[in-house]
Short mmCIF file of all heavy atoms in Angstrom, two decimals:
data_model
loop_
_atom_site.label_atom_id
_atom_site.label_comp_id
_atom_site.label_asym_id
_atom_site.label_seq_id
_atom_site.Cartn_x
_atom_site.Cartn_y
_atom_site.Cartn_z
N MET A 11 35.52 -27.62 100.69
CA MET A 11 36.56 -28.49 100.16
C MET A 11 37.38 -29.03 101.33
O MET A 11 37.80 -28.30 102.20
CB MET A 11 37.46 -27.72 99.19
CG MET A 11 38.54 -28.58 98.62
SD MET A 11 39.79 -27.77 97.59
CE MET A 11 38.91 -26.56 96.69
N LYS A 12 37.61 -30.31 101.33
CA LYS A 12 38.41 -30.97 102.36
C LYS A 12 39.72 -31.46 101.77
O LYS A 12 39.82 -31.70 100.58
CB LYS A 12 37.65 -32.16 102.94
CG LYS A 12 36.40 -31.80 103.66
CD LYS A 12 35.73 -33.04 104.20
CE LYS A 12 34.44 -32.67 104.90
NZ LYS A 12 33.75 -33.85 105.41
N THR A 13 40.70 -31.61 102.62
CA THR A 13 41.96 -32.24 102.23
C THR A 13 41.99 -33.62 102.87
O THR A 13 41.85 -33.74 104.08
CB THR A 13 43.16 -31.40 102.68
OG1 THR A 13 43.06 -30.11 102.08
CG2 THR A 13 44.46 -32.05 102.28
N ILE A 14 42.17 -34.64 102.05
CA ILE A 14 42.11 -36.02 102.51
C ILE A 14 43.41 -36.72 102.16
O ILE A 14 43.93 -36.57 101.05
CB ILE A 14 40.92 -36.76 101.84
CG1 ILE A 14 39.62 -36.05 102.22
CG2 ILE A 14 40.89 -38.23 102.24
CD1 ILE A 14 38.46 -36.38 101.34
N CYS A 15 43.94 -37.50 103.12
CA CYS A 15 45.18 -38.25 102.89
C CYS A 15 44.86 -39.74 102.95
O CYS A 15 44.25 -40.22 103.91
CB CYS A 15 46.21 -37.89 103.96
SG CYS A 15 47.75 -38.79 103.78
N MET A 16 45.25 -40.45 101.90
CA MET A 16 45.10 -41.91 101.86
C MET A 16 46.50 -42.51 101.95
O MET A 16 47.42 -42.04 101.28
CB MET A 16 44.46 -42.34 100.53
CG MET A 16 43.13 -41.68 100.22
SD MET A 16 41.79 -42.27 101.23
CE MET A 16 41.37 -43.75 100.36
N VAL A 17 46.65 -43.53 102.77
CA VAL A 17 47.94 -44.20 102.95
C VAL A 17 47.76 -45.65 102.52
O VAL A 17 46.89 -46.36 103.02
CB VAL A 17 48.43 -44.13 104.41
CG1 VAL A 17 49.76 -44.84 104.58
CG2 VAL A 17 48.52 -42.68 104.88
N ILE A 18 48.59 -46.08 101.56
CA ILE A 18 48.51 -47.45 101.04
C ILE A 18 49.90 -47.88 100.59
O ILE A 18 50.72 -47.05 100.20
CB ILE A 18 47.47 -47.56 99.90
CG1 ILE A 18 47.17 -49.00 99.57
CG2 ILE A 18 47.89 -46.75 98.69
CD1 ILE A 18 45.84 -49.20 98.89
N TRP A 19 50.19 -49.17 100.67
CA TRP A 19 51.53 -49.67 100.36
C TRP A 19 51.93 -49.41 98.91
O TRP A 19 53.00 -48.91 98.62
CB TRP A 19 51.62 -51.15 100.69
CG TRP A 19 53.01 -51.69 100.53
CD1 TRP A 19 53.45 -52.51 99.54
CD2 TRP A 19 54.14 -51.41 101.34
NE1 TRP A 19 54.79 -52.76 99.69
CE2 TRP A 19 55.24 -52.09 100.80
CE3 TRP A 19 54.34 -50.65 102.48
CZ2 TRP A 19 56.51 -52.04 101.35
CZ3 TRP A 19 55.61 -50.59 103.03
CH2 TRP A 19 56.68 -51.29 102.47
N LYS A 20 51.08 -49.77 97.96
CA LYS A 20 51.36 -49.56 96.53
C LYS A 20 50.26 -48.70 95.96
O LYS A 20 49.12 -48.74 96.41
CB LYS A 20 51.38 -50.88 95.76
CG LYS A 20 52.49 -51.80 96.14
CD LYS A 20 52.41 -53.08 95.32
CE LYS A 20 53.46 -54.08 95.75
NZ LYS A 20 53.35 -55.33 95.00
N TYR A 21 50.60 -47.92 94.92
CA TYR A 21 49.59 -47.10 94.26
C TYR A 21 49.91 -46.99 92.78
O TYR A 21 51.07 -47.07 92.38
CB TYR A 21 49.52 -45.70 94.90
CG TYR A 21 48.31 -44.91 94.46
CD1 TYR A 21 47.04 -45.29 94.85
CD2 TYR A 21 48.45 -43.82 93.63
CE1 TYR A 21 45.93 -44.59 94.44
CE2 TYR A 21 47.34 -43.11 93.20
CZ TYR A 21 46.08 -43.49 93.62
OH TYR A 21 44.97 -42.80 93.21
N PHE A 22 48.91 -46.81 91.98
CA PHE A 22 49.02 -46.72 90.54
C PHE A 22 50.18 -45.83 90.13
O PHE A 22 50.38 -44.79 90.71
CB PHE A 22 47.70 -46.17 89.98
CG PHE A 22 47.67 -46.07 88.49
CD1 PHE A 22 47.40 -47.18 87.73
CD2 PHE A 22 47.92 -44.86 87.86
CE1 PHE A 22 47.38 -47.09 86.35
CE2 PHE A 22 47.90 -44.76 86.49
CZ PHE A 22 47.63 -45.89 85.73
N PRO A 23 51.00 -46.21 89.18
CA PRO A 23 50.88 -47.31 88.23
C PRO A 23 51.60 -48.58 88.67
O PRO A 23 51.86 -49.44 87.84
CB PRO A 23 51.50 -46.74 86.97
CG PRO A 23 52.58 -45.85 87.46
CD PRO A 23 52.02 -45.26 88.73
N ALA A 24 51.95 -48.71 89.94
CA ALA A 24 52.56 -49.96 90.43
C ALA A 24 51.54 -51.09 90.28
O ALA A 24 50.35 -50.85 90.06
CB ALA A 24 52.97 -49.80 91.88
N SER A 25 51.99 -52.32 90.40
CA SER A 25 51.07 -53.45 90.29
C SER A 25 49.97 -53.31 91.33
O SER A 25 50.20 -52.89 92.46
CB SER A 25 51.82 -54.76 90.49
OG SER A 25 52.44 -54.78 91.76
N GLU A 26 48.75 -53.61 90.91
CA GLU A 26 47.59 -53.37 91.77
C GLU A 26 46.89 -54.66 92.16
O GLU A 26 46.78 -55.58 91.37
CB GLU A 26 46.57 -52.49 91.06
CG GLU A 26 47.01 -51.09 90.81
CD GLU A 26 45.91 -50.28 90.16
OE1 GLU A 26 45.37 -50.71 89.12
OE2 GLU A 26 45.59 -49.22 90.71
N GLY A 27 46.38 -54.67 93.36
CA GLY A 27 45.48 -55.70 93.83
C GLY A 27 44.13 -55.04 94.13
O GLY A 27 43.90 -53.89 93.74
N GLY A 28 43.28 -55.73 94.86
CA GLY A 28 41.95 -55.19 95.16
C GLY A 28 41.97 -53.92 95.99
O GLY A 28 41.24 -52.97 95.69
N ALA A 29 42.80 -53.88 97.02
CA ALA A 29 42.86 -52.69 97.89
C ALA A 29 43.35 -51.47 97.11
O ALA A 29 42.84 -50.36 97.28
CB ALA A 29 43.76 -52.96 99.08
N GLU A 30 44.34 -51.67 96.26
CA GLU A 30 44.90 -50.58 95.47
C GLU A 30 43.87 -50.03 94.47
O GLU A 30 43.75 -48.83 94.29
CB GLU A 30 46.17 -51.03 94.74
CG GLU A 30 47.34 -51.32 95.65
CD GLU A 30 47.29 -52.69 96.30
OE1 GLU A 30 46.44 -53.52 95.92
OE2 GLU A 30 48.10 -52.93 97.21
N ARG A 31 43.12 -50.94 93.84
CA ARG A 31 42.08 -50.50 92.89
C ARG A 31 40.98 -49.72 93.62
O ARG A 31 40.50 -48.70 93.13
CB ARG A 31 41.49 -51.70 92.16
CG ARG A 31 42.33 -52.15 91.00
CD ARG A 31 41.59 -53.15 90.11
NE ARG A 31 41.32 -54.41 90.78
CZ ARG A 31 42.18 -55.42 90.86
NH1 ARG A 31 43.38 -55.32 90.31
NH2 ARG A 31 41.86 -56.53 91.49
N GLN A 32 40.58 -50.20 94.79
CA GLN A 32 39.54 -49.51 95.56
C GLN A 32 40.02 -48.14 96.01
O GLN A 32 39.27 -47.17 95.95
CB GLN A 32 39.11 -50.34 96.76
CG GLN A 32 38.22 -51.50 96.42
CD GLN A 32 36.95 -51.04 95.73
OE1 GLN A 32 36.82 -51.12 94.52
NE2 GLN A 32 36.00 -50.56 96.48
N CYS A 33 41.26 -48.04 96.46
CA CYS A 33 41.82 -46.76 96.88
C CYS A 33 41.78 -45.78 95.71
O CYS A 33 41.37 -44.62 95.87
CB CYS A 33 43.24 -46.95 97.39
SG CYS A 33 44.03 -45.41 97.92
N ARG A 34 42.17 -46.23 94.55
CA ARG A 34 42.19 -45.37 93.36
C ARG A 34 40.78 -44.91 92.99
O ARG A 34 40.56 -43.74 92.67
CB ARG A 34 42.83 -46.12 92.21
CG ARG A 34 43.12 -45.25 91.03
CD ARG A 34 44.04 -45.98 90.07
NE ARG A 34 44.20 -45.20 88.85
CZ ARG A 34 44.23 -45.70 87.65
NH1 ARG A 34 44.16 -47.01 87.48
NH2 ARG A 34 44.37 -44.94 86.61
N LYS A 35 39.80 -45.81 93.06
CA LYS A 35 38.41 -45.44 92.77
C LYS A 35 37.88 -44.41 93.76
O LYS A 35 37.22 -43.45 93.38
CB LYS A 35 37.51 -46.68 92.80
CG LYS A 35 37.66 -47.59 91.61
CD LYS A 35 36.71 -48.76 91.73
CE LYS A 35 36.86 -49.70 90.56
NZ LYS A 35 35.94 -50.84 90.65
N ILE A 36 38.18 -44.63 95.03
CA ILE A 36 37.72 -43.70 96.08
C ILE A 36 38.35 -42.33 95.88
O ILE A 36 37.68 -41.29 95.97
CB ILE A 36 38.03 -44.26 97.48
CG1 ILE A 36 37.15 -45.48 97.74
CG2 ILE A 36 37.84 -43.20 98.56
CD1 ILE A 36 37.56 -46.28 98.97
N VAL A 37 39.66 -42.30 95.61
CA VAL A 37 40.36 -41.03 95.41
C VAL A 37 39.78 -40.28 94.21
O VAL A 37 39.53 -39.08 94.28
CB VAL A 37 41.88 -41.27 95.24
CG1 VAL A 37 42.57 -40.04 94.70
CG2 VAL A 37 42.49 -41.68 96.56
N LYS A 38 39.54 -40.97 93.10
CA LYS A 38 38.97 -40.31 91.92
C LYS A 38 37.59 -39.71 92.23
O LYS A 38 37.28 -38.60 91.80
CB LYS A 38 38.86 -41.29 90.75
CG LYS A 38 40.17 -41.55 90.06
CD LYS A 38 39.98 -42.42 88.84
CE LYS A 38 41.28 -42.55 88.09
NZ LYS A 38 41.12 -43.29 86.84
N GLU A 39 36.78 -40.43 92.98
CA GLU A 39 35.45 -39.93 93.33
C GLU A 39 35.55 -38.72 94.26
O GLU A 39 34.84 -37.73 94.09
CB GLU A 39 34.62 -41.04 93.99
CG GLU A 39 33.23 -40.62 94.37
CD GLU A 39 32.35 -40.23 93.18
OE1 GLU A 39 32.57 -40.72 92.06
OE2 GLU A 39 31.42 -39.42 93.38
N LEU A 40 36.45 -38.79 95.25
CA LEU A 40 36.62 -37.66 96.17
C LEU A 40 37.10 -36.41 95.43
O LEU A 40 36.62 -35.30 95.69
CB LEU A 40 37.59 -38.03 97.28
CG LEU A 40 37.08 -39.04 98.31
CD1 LEU A 40 38.21 -39.52 99.19
CD2 LEU A 40 35.97 -38.42 99.14
N VAL A 41 38.03 -36.57 94.50
CA VAL A 41 38.53 -35.43 93.72
C VAL A 41 37.41 -34.87 92.84
O VAL A 41 37.25 -33.66 92.73
CB VAL A 41 39.76 -35.83 92.87
CG1 VAL A 41 40.13 -34.75 91.88
CG2 VAL A 41 40.95 -36.15 93.78
N SER A 42 36.60 -35.74 92.25
CA SER A 42 35.50 -35.27 91.39
C SER A 42 34.46 -34.48 92.17
O SER A 42 33.75 -33.66 91.61
CB SER A 42 34.83 -36.45 90.67
OG SER A 42 34.02 -37.19 91.55
N ARG A 43 34.40 -34.69 93.48
CA ARG A 43 33.49 -33.94 94.35
C ARG A 43 34.11 -32.67 94.91
O ARG A 43 33.54 -32.02 95.77
CB ARG A 43 33.02 -34.82 95.49
CG ARG A 43 32.16 -35.97 95.03
CD ARG A 43 31.68 -36.81 96.17
NE ARG A 43 30.93 -37.94 95.71
CZ ARG A 43 30.07 -38.62 96.45
NH1 ARG A 43 29.89 -38.28 97.71
NH2 ARG A 43 29.43 -39.64 95.95
N GLY A 44 35.32 -32.34 94.44
CA GLY A 44 35.95 -31.08 94.82
C GLY A 44 36.90 -31.13 95.99
O GLY A 44 37.31 -30.09 96.49
N ASN A 45 37.27 -32.33 96.42
CA ASN A 45 38.21 -32.47 97.54
C ASN A 45 39.65 -32.54 97.04
O ASN A 45 39.89 -32.94 95.91
CB ASN A 45 37.89 -33.74 98.33
CG ASN A 45 36.53 -33.69 98.95
OD1 ASN A 45 36.27 -32.92 99.85
ND2 ASN A 45 35.62 -34.51 98.44
N ASN A 46 40.58 -32.15 97.88
CA ASN A 46 42.01 -32.33 97.60
C ASN A 46 42.43 -33.65 98.20
O ASN A 46 42.20 -33.88 99.39
CB ASN A 46 42.85 -31.21 98.22
CG ASN A 46 42.62 -29.89 97.56
OD1 ASN A 46 42.43 -29.82 96.35
ND2 ASN A 46 42.62 -28.83 98.33
N CYS A 47 43.03 -34.53 97.42
CA CYS A 47 43.48 -35.82 97.93
C CYS A 47 44.98 -35.98 97.73
O CYS A 47 45.51 -35.63 96.68
CB CYS A 47 42.76 -36.97 97.21
SG CYS A 47 41.05 -37.13 97.67
N THR A 48 45.61 -36.51 98.75
CA THR A 48 47.02 -36.87 98.70
C THR A 48 47.12 -38.36 99.01
O THR A 48 46.53 -38.82 100.00
CB THR A 48 47.85 -36.06 99.71
OG1 THR A 48 47.71 -34.68 99.40
CG2 THR A 48 49.31 -36.46 99.66
N VAL A 49 47.83 -39.09 98.19
CA VAL A 49 48.05 -40.52 98.42
C VAL A 49 49.51 -40.71 98.79
O VAL A 49 50.40 -40.28 98.07
CB VAL A 49 47.71 -41.36 97.17
CG1 VAL A 49 47.99 -42.83 97.42
CG2 VAL A 49 46.27 -41.14 96.75
N VAL A 50 49.75 -41.34 99.94
CA VAL A 50 51.11 -41.64 100.40
C VAL A 50 51.31 -43.14 100.26
O VAL A 50 50.52 -43.93 100.76
CB VAL A 50 51.30 -41.19 101.86
CG1 VAL A 50 52.71 -41.52 102.34
CG2 VAL A 50 51.02 -39.71 102.02
N SER A 51 52.40 -43.51 99.56
CA SER A 51 52.70 -44.93 99.38
C SER A 51 54.20 -45.16 99.46
O SER A 51 54.97 -44.22 99.62
CB SER A 51 52.14 -45.44 98.04
OG SER A 51 52.86 -44.91 96.96
N ALA A 52 54.60 -46.40 99.32
CA ALA A 52 56.02 -46.76 99.40
C ALA A 52 56.72 -46.47 98.08
O ALA A 52 56.13 -46.61 97.01
CB ALA A 52 56.17 -48.24 99.75
N PHE A 53 57.97 -46.07 98.16
CA PHE A 53 58.81 -45.85 96.97
C PHE A 53 59.61 -47.12 96.76
O PHE A 53 60.75 -47.24 97.16
CB PHE A 53 59.72 -44.64 97.19
CG PHE A 53 60.58 -44.31 96.00
CD1 PHE A 53 60.00 -43.95 94.79
CD2 PHE A 53 61.96 -44.33 96.09
CE1 PHE A 53 60.78 -43.63 93.70
CE2 PHE A 53 62.75 -44.01 95.00
CZ PHE A 53 62.16 -43.66 93.80
N GLU A 54 58.97 -48.12 96.14
CA GLU A 54 59.63 -49.40 95.95
C GLU A 54 60.07 -49.64 94.51
O GLU A 54 60.76 -50.59 94.23
CB GLU A 54 58.71 -50.53 96.41
CG GLU A 54 57.42 -50.60 95.62
CD GLU A 54 56.57 -51.76 96.04
OE1 GLU A 54 57.04 -52.61 96.79
OE2 GLU A 54 55.43 -51.82 95.59
N ASN A 55 59.67 -48.78 93.60
CA ASN A 55 60.01 -48.94 92.20
C ASN A 55 60.70 -47.66 91.73
O ASN A 55 60.08 -46.61 91.63
CB ASN A 55 58.74 -49.20 91.39
CG ASN A 55 59.01 -49.46 89.93
OD1 ASN A 55 60.10 -49.17 89.43
ND2 ASN A 55 58.03 -50.01 89.24
N ARG A 56 61.97 -47.75 91.42
CA ARG A 56 62.75 -46.56 91.04
C ARG A 56 62.28 -45.94 89.72
O ARG A 56 62.64 -44.82 89.42
CB ARG A 56 64.23 -46.93 90.94
CG ARG A 56 64.77 -47.51 92.21
CD ARG A 56 65.63 -46.51 92.93
NE ARG A 56 66.17 -47.13 94.14
CZ ARG A 56 66.02 -46.59 95.33
NH1 ARG A 56 65.37 -45.47 95.47
NH2 ARG A 56 66.53 -47.19 96.38
N ALA A 57 61.48 -46.65 88.96
CA ALA A 57 60.96 -46.10 87.70
C ALA A 57 59.85 -45.08 87.95
O ALA A 57 59.51 -44.31 87.06
CB ALA A 57 60.45 -47.22 86.81
N LEU A 58 59.30 -45.05 89.17
CA LEU A 58 58.23 -44.12 89.49
C LEU A 58 58.79 -42.87 90.17
O LEU A 58 59.81 -42.92 90.84
CB LEU A 58 57.21 -44.79 90.43
CG LEU A 58 56.56 -46.06 89.90
CD1 LEU A 58 55.69 -46.69 90.97
CD2 LEU A 58 55.74 -45.75 88.67
N ASN A 59 58.12 -41.75 90.00
CA ASN A 59 58.53 -40.51 90.64
C ASN A 59 58.15 -40.51 92.12
O ASN A 59 57.14 -41.08 92.50
CB ASN A 59 57.86 -39.31 89.96
CG ASN A 59 58.32 -39.13 88.54
OD1 ASN A 59 59.48 -39.36 88.23
ND2 ASN A 59 57.40 -38.74 87.67
N LYS A 60 58.94 -39.82 92.92
CA LYS A 60 58.63 -39.71 94.35
C LYS A 60 57.44 -38.78 94.60
O LYS A 60 56.68 -38.99 95.53
CB LYS A 60 59.84 -39.23 95.14
CG LYS A 60 60.88 -40.30 95.33
CD LYS A 60 61.93 -39.85 96.32
CE LYS A 60 62.81 -41.02 96.70
NZ LYS A 60 63.70 -40.70 97.79
N ASN A 61 57.31 -37.76 93.80
CA ASN A 61 56.19 -36.82 93.90
C ASN A 61 55.63 -36.59 92.51
O ASN A 61 56.38 -36.28 91.59
CB ASN A 61 56.66 -35.47 94.48
CG ASN A 61 57.07 -35.58 95.92
OD1 ASN A 61 56.29 -35.97 96.76
ND2 ASN A 61 58.32 -35.25 96.20
N GLU A 62 54.32 -36.74 92.39
CA GLU A 62 53.71 -36.50 91.08
C GLU A 62 52.22 -36.24 91.23
O GLU A 62 51.64 -36.45 92.30
CB GLU A 62 53.93 -37.68 90.14
CG GLU A 62 53.28 -38.97 90.58
CD GLU A 62 53.59 -40.13 89.62
OE1 GLU A 62 54.07 -39.88 88.51
OE2 GLU A 62 53.35 -41.27 90.00
N GLN A 63 51.64 -35.79 90.15
CA GLN A 63 50.19 -35.60 90.07
C GLN A 63 49.61 -36.86 89.45
O GLN A 63 50.04 -37.29 88.38
CB GLN A 63 49.89 -34.38 89.19
CG GLN A 63 48.46 -33.93 89.22
CD GLN A 63 48.11 -33.15 90.47
OE1 GLN A 63 48.98 -32.65 91.16
NE2 GLN A 63 46.85 -33.06 90.77
N GLY A 64 48.65 -37.48 90.12
CA GLY A 64 48.03 -38.69 89.59
C GLY A 64 47.07 -38.38 88.46
O GLY A 64 46.70 -37.23 88.22
N ASP A 65 46.62 -39.41 87.77
CA ASP A 65 45.73 -39.22 86.62
C ASP A 65 44.34 -38.75 87.01
O ASP A 65 43.60 -38.26 86.18
CB ASP A 65 45.66 -40.50 85.79
CG ASP A 65 45.05 -41.67 86.54
OD1 ASP A 65 44.97 -41.62 87.78
OD2 ASP A 65 44.68 -42.64 85.88
N GLY A 66 43.99 -38.86 88.28
CA GLY A 66 42.68 -38.38 88.75
C GLY A 66 42.74 -37.00 89.37
O GLY A 66 41.75 -36.50 89.89
N GLY A 67 43.92 -36.38 89.38
CA GLY A 67 44.08 -35.06 89.97
C GLY A 67 44.63 -35.09 91.38
O GLY A 67 44.83 -34.05 92.00
N GLU A 68 44.90 -36.26 91.89
CA GLU A 68 45.43 -36.40 93.24
C GLU A 68 46.95 -36.20 93.27
O GLU A 68 47.61 -36.40 92.28
CB GLU A 68 45.09 -37.78 93.82
CG GLU A 68 45.85 -38.95 93.22
CD GLU A 68 45.29 -39.48 91.92
OE1 GLU A 68 44.44 -38.83 91.29
OE2 GLU A 68 45.71 -40.56 91.52
N ARG A 69 47.45 -35.80 94.42
CA ARG A 69 48.90 -35.72 94.62
C ARG A 69 49.37 -37.06 95.14
O ARG A 69 48.75 -37.64 96.04
CB ARG A 69 49.21 -34.62 95.64
CG ARG A 69 50.67 -34.46 95.91
CD ARG A 69 50.90 -33.31 96.88
NE ARG A 69 52.32 -33.23 97.16
CZ ARG A 69 52.82 -32.62 98.21
NH1 ARG A 69 52.04 -32.02 99.06
NH2 ARG A 69 54.11 -32.59 98.39
N VAL A 70 50.46 -37.58 94.57
CA VAL A 70 51.01 -38.87 94.99
C VAL A 70 52.42 -38.64 95.55
O VAL A 70 53.26 -38.05 94.89
CB VAL A 70 51.07 -39.88 93.81
CG1 VAL A 70 51.63 -41.20 94.26
CG2 VAL A 70 49.68 -40.05 93.19
N ILE A 71 52.62 -39.08 96.79
CA ILE A 71 53.92 -38.98 97.44
C ILE A 71 54.38 -40.39 97.77
O ILE A 71 53.66 -41.16 98.41
CB ILE A 71 53.83 -38.16 98.75
CG1 ILE A 71 53.33 -36.74 98.45
CG2 ILE A 71 55.18 -38.13 99.47
CD1 ILE A 71 53.01 -35.95 99.69
N ARG A 72 55.57 -40.73 97.31
CA ARG A 72 56.14 -42.06 97.59
C ARG A 72 57.33 -41.89 98.52
O ARG A 72 58.29 -41.18 98.21
CB ARG A 72 56.56 -42.75 96.29
CG ARG A 72 55.35 -43.07 95.44
CD ARG A 72 55.73 -43.84 94.18
NE ARG A 72 54.55 -44.16 93.42
CZ ARG A 72 54.03 -43.36 92.49
NH1 ARG A 72 54.59 -42.22 92.20
NH2 ARG A 72 52.93 -43.73 91.84
N LEU A 73 57.28 -42.57 99.65
CA LEU A 73 58.34 -42.47 100.66
C LEU A 73 59.28 -43.66 100.58
O LEU A 73 58.85 -44.78 100.32
CB LEU A 73 57.73 -42.40 102.06
CG LEU A 73 56.73 -41.25 102.29
CD1 LEU A 73 56.12 -41.36 103.67
CD2 LEU A 73 57.40 -39.90 102.09
N GLY A 74 60.56 -43.43 100.86
CA GLY A 74 61.57 -44.47 100.77
C GLY A 74 61.60 -45.44 101.88
O GLY A 74 60.93 -45.40 102.85
#
């Protein structure tokens, strides 16, 4: 099992473009293969939590 960190400006459920959708697909696949994934993104929407568990099992950290 590996621990993998993905860094992207926006992440689900924020508005998504192509890069954000691809990041989410890759993270879901990596988690399904038994890896631990952490996604680091910007905290630009106050309606989202700074730390949470994503719908694919990944940890999501949003920085200010």
Side-chain angles (χ1 to χ4, degrees):
M11 180 186 323
K12 295 180 181 179
T13 300
I14 300 163
C15 179
M16 304 288 278
V17 180
I18 192 158
W19 186 253
K20 294 180 184 178
Y21 192 69
F22 181 81
S25 60
E26 293 183 307
E30 292 81 10
R31 278 192 294 276
Q32 284 301 101
C33 180
R34 190 167 174 220
K35 285 181 181 180
I36 291 169
V37 166
K38 283 185 175 185
E39 181 63 27
L40 289 169
V41 170
S42 75
R43 294 181 183 201
N45 297 292
N46 291 323
C47 288
T48 300
V49 178
V50 179
S51 70
F53 182 62
E54 62 176 350
N55 184 343
R56 303 255 182 234
L58 302 174
N59 295 323
K60 285 190 169 189
N61 292 301
E62 64 183 345
Q63 190 78 18
D65 64 343
E68 72 278 13
R69 180 177 177 199
V70 180
I71 301 171
R72 293 184 178 89
L73 304 175

